[in-house]
Amino acid sequence: EQVPFLLVPKATDAAGKVVERAATYVADFSYVENGQRVIEDCKGMRTGIYILKRKLMLMIHNIRIKET
């Protein structure tokens, strides 16, 4: 199941207009293994954006992504 994780919320101005969209990470797979939640990503190539999102997932959600 592909599960989205919020990394950076949307930003709005004083009038409520969205000035920056939210940034999310969408996991390829999310499942429970041996009682632990596993977030898995199938990567052919680690892009700069992916590496940044991987770091944010660890910092914000304390989730280490399993790469396969």
Side-chain angles (χ1 to χ4, degrees):
E1 177 179 340
Q2 292 186 323
V3 178
F5 291 89
L6 181 64
L7 298 175
V8 181
K10 69 180 177 184
T12 57
D13 63 14
K17 180 182 176 187
V18 175
V19 293
E20 290 289 341
R21 296 185 316 178
T24 59
Y25 166 74
V26 179
D28 287 336
F29 302 99
S30 174
Y31 55 91
V32 177
E33 183 175 74
N34 299 325
Q36 297 282 3
R37 183 175 187 194
V38 177
I39 304 301
E40 186 173 336
D41 199 301
C42 300
K43 281 286 165 220
M45 181 178 164
R46 291 181 187 105
T47 65
I49 296 294
Y50 167 73
I51 292 169
L52 179 60
K53 288 183 176 188
R54 182 187 69 200
K55 291 177 182 187
L56 287 168
M57 282 289 288
L58 184 58
M59 186 179 89
I60 295 167
H61 298 287
N62 198 30
I63 295 174
R64 187 174 299 266
I65 298 170
K66 178 180 179 180
E67 298 175 354
T68 56

